[in-house]
Amino acid sequence: MTRKAILRTVMGWLLFTLVVGVGPFAAVSQADLREVKKSGVLRHIGIPYANFVTTSNSGLSVELVQNFAVWLGVEYKYVPSSWKTVIGDLTGKLVKAKGSEVDILGTTQIRGDLIGNGLTVLDWRRQVVDYSRQATFPTQVWVVARVDSALHPIVPSERVEDDIKAVKKLLKGLTILHKSNTCLDA
């Protein structure tokens, strides 16, 4: 597939994301295509993570959303966020995960039109944002251990949630270095 064909496919997915509220990035209906075009700005919420978004505001997701903004004929604006605030920045809802459930704690200002960085599909997140039915850029969470460790990789299943549970079971009672408010933090 040519670079142009890949870009056209991704732009189509991003358009679908913005109009319908599902896609490779998380979006909500408040930020529909009409509103984005009327405002003249596509606000990309991002968290520096795994080169999807870097601390210098570059990376795969940044470039995709910048190109999408050009394709739509609007200005691109990067909105920095964090794992703790990203859902609220998109939905206007302050949330707290409780296992596979979510508590709505209040409201906050909507700061952006779509989340564009690695964002694991989790049951609690599905209660407040929509995702595409098919992953566009599937990625992995890696746990790295010393070669003499008793840990061994899991056999992947059909469900990310099951894989996360399997990894957590292996790690129970161990100390690991991880990023708070991510899929491994529970």
Side-chain angles (χ1 to χ4, degrees):
M1 190 179 277
T2 67
R3 180 182 166 104
K4 189 174 183 177
I6 292 169
L7 188 58
R8 192 176 315 117
T9 300
V10 170
M11 293 307 138
W13 270 106
L14 287 171
L15 179 60
F16 184 72
T17 298
L18 211 49
V19 173
V20 179
V22 296
F25 302 93
V28 292
S29 60
Q30 290 96 335
D32 70 10
L33 182 59
R34 226 180 352 245
E35 291 173 356
V36 169
K37 285 191 168 187
K38 184 177 178 181
S39 74
V41 178
L42 178 61
R43 300 170 302 166
H44 167 206
I45 303 168
I47 304 166
Y49 174 72
N51 288 326
F52 289 102
V53 177
T54 69
T55 54
S56 61
N57 301 338
S58 63
L60 175 65
S61 295
V62 172
E63 292 175 24
L64 285 172
V65 180
Q66 285 173 336
N67 282 313
F68 184 47
V70 168
W71 190 74
L72 289 174
V74 297
E75 179 185 332
Y76 168 86
K77 180 180 179 189
Y78 176 71
V79 179
S81 191
S82 69
W83 292 112
K84 189 172 183 176
T85 63
V86 69
I87 301 296
D89 290 341
L90 179 68
T91 66
K93 297 176 183 173
L94 296 173
V95 299
K96 182 175 182 179
K98 290 178 81 173
S100 62
E101 300 299 317
V102 66
D103 282 341
I104 308 295
L105 304 175
T107 60
T108 188
Q109 179 184 3
I110 294 174
R111 298 180 57 228
D113 303 310
L114 60 84
I115 297 171
N117 54 254
L119 187 69
T120 303
V121 178
L122 299 173
D123 288 339
W124 74 265
R125 287 180 179 158
R126 286 184 186 185
Q127 295 174 43
V128 288
V129 296
D130 289 327
Y131 291 88
S132 65
R133 292 180 194 109
Q134 179 178 341
T136 303
F137 297 109
T139 60
Q140 308 291 321
V141 173
W142 290 89
V143 176
V144 180
R146 292 173 27 154
V147 73
D148 60 347
S149 171
L151 294 176
H152 296 284
I154 64 164
V155 176
S157 71
E158 294 294 316
R159 291 179 25 95
V160 172
E161 293 87 355
D162 292 341
D163 294 345
I164 292 169
K165 287 177 186 173
V167 170
K168 285 181 176 180
K169 185 177 177 182
L170 284 175
L171 298 175
K172 191 170 183 96
L174 300 176
T175 301
I176 63 168
L177 177 64
H178 73 287
K179 186 108 174 138
S180 294
N181 297 310
T182 65
C183 57
L184 290 177
D185 186 32

